Amino acid sequence: MKIAIVCYPTFGGSGVVATELGLELAHRGHEIHFITYRQPVRLALLNQNVHYHEVNVPEYPLFHYQPYELALSSKLVDMVKLYKIELLHVHYAIPHAYAGYMAKQMLKDEGINLPMVTTLHGTDITLVGKHPFYKTAVSFSINKSDIVTSVSQSLKDDTYKHFDIKNDIHVIPNFIELDKHRNETLISCQRSVMAQPEERIVTHISNFRRVKRIPDVINIFYKIQLEIPSKLMMVGDGPEKEAAEQMCIDLGIQDKVIFFGNSNEIDQILSYSDLFLLPSETESFGLAALEAMAWSVPVISSNSGGLPEVNFNGKSGFLSDVGDVESMSKNALHILSNNETLSAFKNNALAVAKQFDILNILPLYEELYEKALSEAINL
């Protein structure tokens, strides 16, 4: 199949999932065309089946905000005709599904029926999409998609709850590549850079937005380090980062916390981590938790959103109510208390992660692609 993928090219989960999906599809012989405003951060163009097409948005004084949706839909039309693309897979309802629908309509006028698969990732539904300014457009975009998927049952339920959706929504969870870069990682990073041999390594990775409850991360770690020698790795950047750094200073633990900012060395950090903290207000899925589990790192998380669908309570880690720092700290100390317990949770975390290996998830997408193509041919 010749497939166009539209996504955000950023460090966020949706962009990572879309990129990894496209790369694996290419490895299986499909021709993949990434179409976005910048090359995705995890996209390596070393495969003859992988192509990247940049969306350029001309700047005109007339526009206060440059019309990215217009530029994207026009680029999609051009690329579909030039490369004979058969199917469009967009990640995020807005603006991508909206632009995709406009491209479909323009192509239809030229006798081309391009099926569109839309994947919902979370923010497009739970945050941005619910805003009154966008809600109508989100509902329209989802209902005009040929096939719709969501990354968790929780997100599917939220979509039906908050929008007037007529389409079926297929749940296809996020995924990881279990063996990717493992050998290179262990060579390129040494544990001693982050912590002493006797110290546990606790990690948090996010975009440092309020929904991630960064103060809870620090408070949980504060209680951990009172009992067990530990270091905290804070990976990512965002509006809560500066306050988090000050909070560590106020608590007197600044020498036990490392702020990395956005990093391309996430795998290296996780490969030596002992525990992952994700006490978020909500997560549509919890891809960061899954990536940690793929490196045999147990997870302490909230029980909100899609997190119970990936972090199995008492097995891969523990779930607690949002904001229950005491419970999360207690569970963290239980996991880290001795090597035998920690080893058991590490093994369990990896076992759960294997269920979400890309080789198990990819066929689910391919099946839907075939369904969309078949229905398009029969129209």
Side-chain angles (χ1 to χ4, degrees):
M1 283 180 276
K2 295 184 177 182
I3 305 168
I5 293 179
V6 179
C7 64
Y8 284 113
T10 57
F11 283 90
S14 67
V16 170
V17 167
T19 303
E20 299 292 354
L21 174 63
L23 293 176
E24 188 60 32
L25 286 166
H27 291 153
R28 292 168 72 101
H30 301 288
E31 182 178 309
I32 305 300
H33 296 262
F34 288 93
I35 303 176
T36 184
Y37 59 84
R38 189 173 66 242
Q39 183 172 321
V41 294
R42 294 198 186 184
L43 178 60
L45 297 175
L46 297 178
N47 187 311
Q48 64 180 358
N49 289 330
V50 177
H51 308 271
Y52 164 64
H53 311 289
E54 183 175 355
V55 179
N56 293 304
V57 185
E59 293 189 10
Y60 294 108
L62 175 65
F63 298 119
H64 184 66
Y65 299 105
Q66 303 309 315
Y68 178 65
E69 293 88 342
L70 181 61
L72 174 58
S73 60
S74 296
K75 186 73 172 185
L76 285 169
V77 170
D78 293 342
M79 295 302 98
V80 167
K81 292 193 294 185
L82 180 62
Y83 292 98
K84 310 300 180 185
I85 290 169
E86 302 168 277
L87 181 138
L88 173 62
H89 188 174
V90 300
H91 295 258
Y92 260 54
I94 53 171
H96 299 151
Y98 192 82
Y101 172 75
M102 296 307 299
K104 280 170 57 71
Q105 294 306 109
M106 286 187 276
L107 289 164
K108 189 175 292 185
D109 287 345
E110 300 189 34
I112 300 173
N113 187 15
L114 179 72
M116 180 172 71
V117 177
T118 296
T119 293
L120 310 175
H121 284 272
T123 305
D124 50 344
I125 298 301
T126 60
L127 184 62
V128 178
K130 289 194 296 183
H131 194 287
F133 291 170
Y134 301 116
K135 192 169 184 177
T136 301
V138 171
S139 296
F140 177 86
S141 300
I142 294 173
N143 284 323
K144 290 298 182 180
S145 300
D146 296 286
I147 287 179
V148 182
T149 74
S150 70
V151 297
S152 68
Q153 182 64 42
S154 172
L155 182 59
K156 175 181 176 177
D157 294 342
D158 283 344
T159 305
Y160 282 130
K161 178 181 178 181
H162 296 293
F163 299 89
D164 182 19
I165 302 302
K166 304 295 190 293
N167 266 343
D168 290 334
I169 299 177
H170 306 264
V171 176
I172 300 182
N174 284 334
F175 52 80
I176 30 77
E177 294 181 82
L178 281 170
D179 297 323
K180 186 178 181 182
H181 304 320
R182 279 187 181 270
N183 292 333
E184 292 88 342
T185 293
L186 296 178
I187 292 172
S188 62
C189 178
Q190 296 297 321
R191 188 185 189 281
S192 58
V193 173
M194 296 186 288
Q196 297 300 314
E198 71 277 8
E199 292 177 317
R200 302 296 196 192
I201 296 178
V202 182
T203 300
H204 171 78
I205 301 171
S206 77
N207 54 18
F208 283 66
R209 290 185 293 120
R210 182 170 295 181
V211 70
K212 302 300 181 178
R213 298 186 68 91
I214 301 301
D216 286 2
V217 173
I218 296 172
N219 281 324
I220 294 166
F221 174 73
Y222 180 79
K223 292 178 180 296
I224 292 172
Q225 58 86 38
L226 288 175
E227 303 288 336
I228 298 173
S230 309
K231 285 287 181 65
L232 175 62
M233 309 295 120
M234 297 288 280
V235 185
D237 202 357
E240 300 288 304
K241 183 183 176 185
E242 185 176 343
E245 292 173 324
Q246 184 59 51
M247 185 175 177
C248 291
I249 294 172
D250 294 341
L251 290 172
I253 57 172
Q254 66 271 24
D255 60 332
K256 299 181 180 181
V257 183
I258 300 176
F259 286 86
F260 287 88
N262 286 328
S263 174
N264 289 317
E265 299 181 339
I266 288 174
D267 287 339
Q268 287 91 328
I269 295 168
L270 289 174
S271 68
Y272 288 112
S273 296
D274 297 303
L275 190 68
F276 189 81
L277 303 181
L278 195 63
S280 306
E281 191 81 30
T282 187
E283 292 281 348
S284 59
F285 177 81
L287 183 60
L290 179 58
E291 290 186 326
M293 290 158 54
W295 285 102
S296 301
V297 184
V299 175
I300 296 294
S301 75
S302 61
N303 55 12
S304 181
L307 282 168
E309 298 176 45
V310 62
N311 182 22
F312 296 177
N313 191 47
K315 186 173 182 180
S316 59
F318 286 104
L319 300 164
S320 299
D321 291 339
V322 174
D324 193 344
V325 171
E326 290 297 328
S327 172
M328 293 181 188
S329 303
K330 180 180 178 181
N331 290 332
L333 288 168
H334 172 71
I335 292 175
L336 298 173
S337 60
N338 61 74
N339 291 334
E340 182 178 350
T341 302
L342 178 59
S343 178
F345 272 94
K346 279 179 170 285
N347 292 335
N348 288 341
L350 179 58
V352 172
K354 287 180 178 178
Q355 300 178 33
F356 298 90
D357 187 270
I358 191 171
L359 298 180
N360 297 327
I361 306 302
L362 188 70
L364 302 179
Y365 277 114
E366 288 181 309
E367 183 179 345
L368 289 182
Y369 292 163
E370 295 288 354
K371 181 176 184 290
L373 285 170
S374 176
E375 292 177 351
I377 292 172
N378 293 328
L379 284 178

